[in-house]
Amino acid sequence: MKQENIFLFVPNLIGTHFGAMLDMLTDRCTTMCLLVNLAMLYPESALWFQLSMSLDVASHWLHLHSTVVKGAESHKSIDLSGNRILRVYYSSRPVLFVMCAGNELFYCMLYLLCFGEGPPIPFNSPFLPGHTGLFRFALWVCAPFAVTKSLISLVHLVCASCNMAALDAAERAKRK
C-alpha cells in the first residue's frame, strides 16, 4: 500500500498535530514579516510592532503547546467550560475570520499608506478630513479589530499560562 506524503497536504486540512503546527507557524511568520517591514517604515513605532510580534508569537505558541500537552485534537478545540472569549473566537468561523482579516488588513493598510492615501473615498464624513483616501479609511475601520485581536492574544497568553500551570500542578500531585 502506498504511503501518503503529508508534506503535500494543505496545512489547515492535514488534520494531524503537524498540520496544526504548520498552520500556526505560517500565520505567525507571515504576520511577523509584515510587522518587521512596518517597524522599518515607521521607526518611531517600532517598539509597538515588536510588542505586537512578541505577544502574538508567545500567546499562540503557549496556547498551541498547552492544547497539545492536554491531548486536544486541535488548538481550535476549546473546552466549552473554558474562557468565554476564546470559546466564541474559536467556535464561530465568522468571528474568527473577521477578527483575523481585520487585524491583517490594519497592518496591510499601514504598509500601503507609506506609498500614498489610495483612491479618494467617494463620500464626506464629519469624522474624516476632506481628502481621506481609501487606505486611511480602511485603516480606521480595521483599527478596532487589531486592538481587539491583541486583547484576545493577551487572553490567550493568560489562559494558556493557567492551563500549563494546572498541568504542572496535576503532574506534581501524581508524583506525591
Side-chain angles (χ1 to χ4, degrees):
M1 187 167 167
K2 186 177 178 184
Q3 188 173 2
E4 294 182 37
N5 186 346
I6 198 163
F7 294 102
L8 298 178
F9 291 162
V10 176
N12 278 331
L13 303 178
I14 292 173
T16 65
H17 292 289
F18 177 66
M21 277 295 180
L22 195 55
D23 178 42
M24 188 67 70
L25 281 172
T26 55
D27 290 349
R28 302 292 68 81
C29 288
T30 54
T31 300
M32 274 196 336
C33 288
L34 180 56
L35 289 171
V36 165
N37 279 298
L38 289 173
M40 291 186 296
L41 294 170
Y42 298 97
E44 68 282 359
S45 299
L47 177 63
W48 294 110
F49 296 124
Q50 291 169 347
L51 289 173
S52 181
M53 281 185 270
S54 298
L55 176 62
D56 189 48
V57 169
S59 64
H60 283 84
W61 181 84
L62 193 56
H63 175 71
L64 179 61
H65 185 69
S66 70
T67 57
V68 167
V69 170
K70 285 183 358 184
E73 199 171 297
S74 167
H75 64 282
K76 295 177 182 174
S77 300
I78 297 297
D79 179 8
L80 293 178
S81 64
N83 184 281
R84 184 175 27 181
I85 294 170
L86 293 180
R87 187 172 53 238
V88 169
Y89 182 73
Y90 280 121
S91 66
S92 171
R93 287 204 181 265
V95 169
L96 182 62
F97 174 79
V98 168
M99 293 305 303
C100 292
N103 183 60
E104 296 302 319
L105 278 172
F106 174 79
Y107 292 129
C108 288
M109 292 306 108
L110 277 174
Y111 179 79
L112 290 174
L113 276 170
C114 285
F115 307 103
E117 290 283 325
I121 56 173
F123 57 88
N124 290 325
S125 166
F127 304 107
L128 297 171
H131 300 290
T132 301
L134 181 61
F135 300 158
R136 187 163 311 276
F137 178 73
L139 177 80
W140 284 107
V141 169
C142 294
F145 295 101
V147 170
T148 303
K149 181 86 166 49
S150 291
L151 293 174
I152 290 170
S153 289
L154 197 55
V155 170
H156 261 132
L157 188 61
V158 170
C159 289
S161 297
C162 291
N163 288 341
M164 288 304 294
L167 289 167
D168 283 352
E171 203 173 278
R172 274 195 312 280
K174 277 184 191 176
R175 284 189 240 141
K176 287 185 180 182

